Amino acid sequence: MTAELVRGQNHALPQTRLEIRVSAGSPVVAGATLGDERGVVRGAEWVAHPAAHRVSGLEVSRQAAADHRLAVDLDALPDAVHRVTVLLALPAGAGQPGRFGAVAAPFVAVTGLDGTEIATFTLTGLDTESAVSALELYRRQGAWKVRAVGQGYATGLAGMLADQGVAEAAQLADSIQEAVASGLARSVPPPRTPDGERVRHPTGPAPSGGSGAPPASAPPTSAPPASAPAATPSGEPAPPHPDSPGGRVDYAHPRRQASAPPSPPPTAPPASPGQPAQPVAGDATGWSMDERLHNQIWGMFEDLARAVAAYRSAVDFAGSRMDRELDQALSDPRARIGGAGERARDAARAKHDELTGRAREALDRGLAQLAAESAVVEPALPAAYAGWDNPVWHGYRVPMENPMALRIGDLRLPEDPGLRIPLLVRLPLERGIWVDSGRTASDAAAETAGDELRTLAMETAVTLAARLLAVHPANEFSVHVIDPAGSAAGPLAPLTDSGVLAGPPAAGAEGVSSVLAHLTRRVDLLQMAIRAGAADALPPDLDAGEQLLIVNDFPHGFDDRTVNQLRYLADEGPSVGVHLLMVADREDTRAYGPVLDPLWRSLLRITPVADDHLADPWVGHAWTYEPLRTPQGSRVLEQVLALVAAARRATY
């Protein structure tokens, strides 16, 4: 029976291999400290946090998230450790809540590896605190117990670490928040909604979190870090189980009107007994087919992340078990006589192969189901979600309504390189995009010649701009270009030749200054009008549509004033419909030092070549991103832009 703890209450732990699950209403940092018999943390090496996520017997998440699983093996802790304290903190920085009183009360559960809850604790009563000691596992007379703590700190992470005796607590807290900020910058933000949970069909055995694993009524489960030992004692992946209250990931449209219930998703054809349900396009809730497809794709993204996490966890567990059994065999002197040691080694390896084989079979079942779902979903996608090779572009017509999302590339994992998940970002864009043209970003970039990489980066930006123009109604989306040296004339040809740009590409320092002054004026006027509630007082010549600024070869042609204007647009522009699409090599801005670090962190980084730099928001896998390309020899881009240009001229 689960013990529901209140602050100060304790409960005996029946086992030593545990998971600590954290569910919060917004992203939090989860970590843990090891304390001696007096509760003192002897050094930074006794603190597990996103920048150093693993210590002996303990592993935590590598990034801030609304859901966490911390893996704990009390038997593997150093002998001097008598206490493990689970810490929660809010990420620092602009746009973050700043205090726990502004977010939902975090929920913490101590569970066994099979998901059975041992004790739970809801951290209520927090207000100005930005960090909290949630609970502690402590050893008393040789037995381990859990105690609900709930001690908050208005002084933040630094104050909490200092209270536990950590030397140089402020410096450690700063390094943790820096790692968290970096993780948030590379993480793909999930859509958050009040009610649009994906529909799933129960199918029988599947990996934890795999496609179709939980029943339709169960919320999605959180997965551990890829290397966390989230497996049953037999070494099999843990069975699916619902998360604790408040931990579900929500997929509905955050700006959805509530005047009518969502339209029901399509019904899958009946499956044969013992067989998985046949996938259908739009197998999710939503108010329209586009929204159901959007939610379904995000569901597939999450399913693949969790299925691979379960597989990797089971493989890691099998490996650690084999290593332990081999060590035991070698340490026993009796095993050195008569071939007993060799038999023990063979048995350990055979058990390892059996466990990993079973884990791979479970993963393959989930991958096959996701591949079947992808094969059904891809042909049904609207233009905003479709690749350039989709037949939907051959029947393209300029839309009458704004889309809810845009496909900017594909994501894949090494366990199945052929299974690609569309990367959809919400519209209007909530952050700018940076196409990294640097050669030091990845091995693929390093193997590409510098001029070729810059050309590919600009082509990636042009195809993204073309997609944005194509999926918006005529004259409701405008594109400006800054190309100080005129070096991108070739890649820009589809935009310039079709006449869809708001004006010729700006060149030279004067052109840079003119475009930035125009857009910053627009942001200032709209912000003042919004604050004053005087939208009717805006100048009649102000373009009320969304604006996209493509910047090539930054910082060439920029001075200190225009750099500050660009940073202003990156920070304030998205809220009033002004968005950045940067094509730049960060090494070229080295002279500015850390001044531009907030600019890079505010942008979603993508690459012109395949690169594994993006992380999912559930498990934190490193996903390989691939940009969208038009088919070789195809003129689909030019044909679509010609239709956009004709529609724009017809509405003048």
Side-chain angles (χ1 to χ4, degrees):
M1 183 175 178
T2 304
E4 297 181 2
L5 305 181
V6 297
R7 187 175 280 106
Q9 188 177 2
N10 60 42
H11 183 73
L13 293 173
Q15 57 200 80
T16 57
R17 295 195 66 200
L18 307 163
E19 284 184 356
I20 311 294
R21 301 186 187 180
V22 178
S23 297
S26 62
V28 297
V29 184
T33 59
L34 307 182
D36 59 19
E37 64 277 2
R38 294 180 291 114
V40 176
V41 180
R42 296 184 178 179
E45 66 277 7
W46 274 22
V47 182
H49 53 83
H53 71 284
R54 185 182 297 172
V55 299
S56 180
L58 181 64
E59 185 171 353
V60 303
S61 303
R62 306 185 193 189
Q63 62 185 38
D67 303 285
H68 294 272
R69 284 189 186 181
L70 285 63
V72 182
D73 186 350
L74 298 174
D75 289 336
L77 295 173
D79 293 338
V81 172
H82 288 255
R83 185 179 302 175
V84 178
T85 304
V86 176
L87 315 176
L88 303 179
L90 294 171
Q96 301 299 338
R99 62 188 185 92
F100 274 106
V103 301
F107 177 88
V108 184
V110 181
T111 76
L113 296 183
D114 60 354
T116 303
E117 288 185 347
I118 300 170
T120 64
F121 176 42
T122 302
L123 284 77
T124 58
L126 299 175
D127 187 10
T128 60
E129 299 89 344
S130 59
V132 59
S133 295
L135 54 78
E136 64 182 15
L137 314 179
Y138 64 98
R139 182 161 49 190
R140 181 69 53 82
Q141 297 179 348
W144 284 93
K145 295 183 177 182
V146 57
R147 176 187 291 121
V149 180
Q151 174 64 54
Y153 292 82
T155 51
L157 192 56
M160 180 168 55
L161 293 172
D163 191 49
Q164 296 189 32
V166 178
E168 299 182 345
Q171 292 89 328
L172 179 58
D174 289 343
S175 68
I176 294 172
Q177 292 289 7
E178 183 178 348
V180 169
S182 176
L184 288 174
R186 65 189 287 267
S187 177
V188 181
R192 295 201 175 269
T193 55
D195 60 357
E197 189 177 324
R198 184 184 181 208
V199 176
R200 289 178 171 88
H201 300 286
T203 63
S208 177
S211 178
S217 60
T221 59
S222 290
S227 56
T232 63
S234 64
E236 296 179 356
H241 45 76
D243 260 353
S244 52
R248 75 184 185 94
V249 177
D250 214 334
Y251 292 110
H253 197 316
R255 289 177 287 277
R256 177 185 295 157
Q257 298 177 357
S259 57
S263 52
T267 303
S272 302
Q275 296 297 318
Q278 296 300 311
V280 294
D283 184 15
T285 57
W287 279 53
S288 66
M289 187 60 174
D290 286 3
E291 186 172 6
R292 292 198 296 268
L293 287 167
H294 171 272
N295 293 345
Q296 184 175 15
I297 288 171
W298 271 91
M300 294 166 60
F301 186 13
E302 183 186 11
D303 283 349
L304 182 55
R306 298 197 190 285
V308 170
Y311 167 71
R312 293 179 180 178
S313 178
V315 170
D316 286 347
F317 174 80
S320 63
R321 176 174 177 168
M322 181 181 69
D323 291 342
R324 186 170 62 252
E325 291 176 350
L326 290 175
D327 289 342
Q328 291 174 351
L330 292 174
S331 62
D332 187 354
R334 294 171 297 178
R336 303 171 190 170
I337 304 173
E342 188 63 33
R343 289 192 296 273
R345 286 191 289 271
D346 291 343
R349 295 188 183 103
K351 191 176 298 181
H352 169 270
D353 293 344
E354 179 189 0
L355 294 176
T356 56
R358 295 212 308 260
R360 184 69 209 196
E361 289 175 1
L363 175 65
D364 288 342
R365 287 194 297 271
L367 294 177
Q369 192 165 350
L370 282 170
E373 190 171 5
S374 177
V376 171
V377 169
E378 279 285 354
L381 295 178
Y385 305 169
W388 288 110
D389 57 350
N390 193 305
V392 70
W393 290 106
H394 297 301
Y396 168 77
R397 294 292 182 270
V398 177
M400 301 298 292
E401 297 181 352
N402 291 329
M404 66 175 293
L406 182 78
R407 184 174 184 168
I408 64 170
D410 291 331
L411 298 173
R412 58 181 170 85
L413 289 173
E415 280 75 9
D416 189 350
L419 180 57
R420 287 170 167 78
I421 303 295
L423 174 56
L424 302 181
V425 295
R426 296 298 299 271
L427 295 179
L429 293 170
E430 298 176 355
R431 59 195 291 199
I433 297 176
W434 164 33
V435 185
D436 190 352
S437 60
R439 297 189 64 211
T440 60
S442 66
D443 292 339
E447 294 170 359
T448 307
D451 291 343
E452 180 184 357
L453 191 64
R454 284 189 289 272
T455 299
L456 289 173
M458 197 60 198
E459 289 176 350
T460 301
V462 167
T463 56
L464 280 177
R467 292 177 72 85
L468 284 163
L469 284 165
V471 302
H472 283 85
N475 293 321
E476 291 195 17
F477 195 92
S478 299
V479 177
H480 309 261
V481 176
I482 289 178
D483 185 20
S487 60
L492 283 170
L495 298 177
T496 55
D497 293 350
S498 61
V500 295
L501 294 178
E510 184 177 349
V512 171
S513 178
S514 175
V515 171
L516 290 175
H518 167 72
L519 292 176
T520 52
R521 171 180 175 269
R522 182 184 186 279
V523 172
D524 289 339
L525 289 174
L526 285 172
Q527 286 188 334
M528 287 188 291
I530 292 171
R531 285 195 293 265
D536 55 347
L538 289 169
D541 63 337
L542 187 74
D543 183 0
E546 299 282 315
Q547 310 286 313
L548 177 71
L549 174 60
I550 303 176
V551 179
N552 183 44
D553 268 355
F554 177 76
H556 184 77
F558 284 72
D559 55 23
D560 289 345
R561 179 172 177 272
T562 49
V563 165
N564 286 332
Q565 287 177 318
L566 189 70
R567 292 180 56 189
Y568 175 72
L569 291 180
D571 292 339
E572 304 295 334
S575 64
V576 289
V578 177
H579 313 286
L580 283 185
L581 179 51
M582 299 271 293
V583 179
D585 179 357
R586 190 169 181 175
E587 290 296 313
D588 293 340
T589 65
R590 186 181 299 175
Y592 287 91
V595 172
L596 292 179
D597 286 353
L599 171 65
W600 303 119
R601 285 198 296 265
S602 71
L603 304 174
L604 175 62
R605 174 178 171 260
I606 62 175
T607 52
V609 293
D611 185 34
D612 58 351
H613 66 283
L614 289 176
D616 66 80
W618 304 284
V619 184
H621 292 317
W623 293 72
T624 298
Y625 166 83
E626 291 184 347
L628 296 176
R629 302 279 184 211
T630 56
Q632 187 71 25
S634 171
R635 294 190 56 80
V636 62
L637 187 65
E638 291 78 6
Q639 293 167 359
V640 168
L641 289 175
L643 292 172
V644 172
R648 292 166 69 90
R649 289 192 297 268
T651 57
Y652 282 140

